[in-house]
Amino acid sequence: VYACHWSGDSQSVLSASQDGKLMIWNAYTTNKIQAVPLRSSWVMTCAFEQSKGQLVACGGLDNLCSIYDLSQGGKAVKELAAHDGYLSCCRFIDEGKIASSSGDQTCILWDIESGEVLKTFSQHHGDVMSLAICPTNQNVFVSGSVDTTAKVWDIRSGKCVQSHFGHESDINSISFFPDGNAFGTGSDDSTCRLFDMRCYSEVNCFGNDKILCGITSVDFSKSGRLLFAGYDDFNTIAWDTINDGNIHAFQLPVPHDNRVSCIGVNPAGDALCTGSWDTLLKIWA
């Protein structure tokens, strides 16, 4: 499993794997609801539209952002083509717009209906690995890159409004704090960091000498008290965001049998989904 994303109703979870399918699962019964066959099996990201839950998107090494309509049986309704590199992450802003990040060092805001590029965001100096849309203001999103920086973007101006430094290696994952004022990052330097946009600085760094591997994915609990992080050594660790960053709050008891590739807390805040290269999705509640 390469990527997972919760639906807005917290019932279903979407997963993407390189077996050439997008799967929609009922997280409560663990039953498959729908399988969407993909034109390219080299998927790296997937996204669920949050308001109505009818659209899903995915992309990867085909450089395309493909949109599928679940109400039409998973029919491919659009292929958004403009990136010159692999698609690392995509997130719906609403039913009409989606943002994508890519290995071509840019992020793009798309109009889904017309398939046109609305804005291109190009101030990173390395592959952009992840993006997250602000939960309280849809005009703002953040992106994390191989250039070790996290950037805050304003969709209205199309410009970078803040650049946050601190990581010593690639940023693989980025997630907004629930109040929209801060965000968390996970990096190949074995640390997660919390950056606050109001004071324009890093406010906490989570890691210690025992953790030597990279972080693939991060997400916050609904309150923001916990930052969950998925690691290359098969573990998922929860960090207490207001405590000393050297000591983790707890570790999920049964690790995966391979690298944890994606994690996500559902919108209701009562479940965590972890996906791994061991082909499993696990739901923790």
Side-chain angles (χ1 to χ4, degrees), residues 92-171:
F92 285 94
I93 289 169
D94 52 37
E95 280 195 297
K97 294 197 286 294
I98 190 168
S100 62
S101 63
S102 165
D104 64 9
Q105 309 187 358
T106 69
C107 300
I108 290 181
L109 176 69
W110 306 84
D111 181 295
I112 295 171
E113 192 62 38
S114 67
E116 284 173 16
V117 174
L118 296 174
K119 291 239 165 67
T120 303
F121 306 88
S122 52
Q123 282 170 271
H124 275 298
H125 303 298
D127 301 16
V128 189
M129 297 307 291
S130 179
L131 64 84
I133 289 154
C134 179
T136 51
N137 177 2
Q138 294 192 322
N139 291 311
V140 174
F141 74 93
V142 290
S143 61
S145 165
V146 170
D147 66 14
T148 75
T149 68
K151 290 186 185 290
V152 183
W153 305 88
D154 188 320
I155 284 172
R156 292 158 295 193
S157 68
K159 291 194 170 68
C160 171
V161 287
Q162 288 187 356
S163 294
H164 292 265
F165 302 89
H167 278 296
E168 290 153 28
S169 186
D170 311 9
I171 295 177

Side-chain angles (χ1 to χ4, degrees), residues 245-261:
N246 291 324
I247 311 147
H248 64 268
F250 60 90
Q251 187 167 323
L252 291 186
V254 191
H256 280 281
D257 297 327
N258 206 324
R259 166 190 288 197
V260 178
S261 52

Side-chain angles (χ1 to χ4, degrees), residues 127-221:
D127 301 16
V128 189
M129 297 307 291
S130 179
L131 64 84
I133 289 154
C134 179
T136 51
N137 177 2
Q138 294 192 322
N139 291 311
V140 174
F141 74 93
V142 290
S143 61
S145 165
V146 170
D147 66 14
T148 75
T149 68
K151 290 186 185 290
V152 183
W153 305 88
D154 188 320
I155 284 172
R156 292 158 295 193
S157 68
K159 291 194 170 68
C160 171
V161 287
Q162 288 187 356
S163 294
H164 292 265
F165 302 89
H167 278 296
E168 290 153 28
S169 186
D170 311 9
I171 295 177
N172 294 321
S173 178
I174 198 159
S175 180
F176 255 104
F177 196 78
D179 71 356
N181 288 318
F183 58 89
T185 53
S187 162
D188 278 345
D189 67 10
S190 334
T191 66
C192 301
R193 293 175 198 241
L194 180 62
F195 295 94
D196 195 309
M197 301 192 305
R198 293 166 297 187
C199 66
Y200 207 140
S201 71
E202 178 185 315
V203 287
N204 210 337
C205 176
F206 309 100
N208 55 41
D209 302 343
K210 296 195 182 80
I211 300 173
L212 303 170
C213 66
I215 292 130
T216 56
S217 184
V218 291
D219 203 8
F220 287 97
S221 64

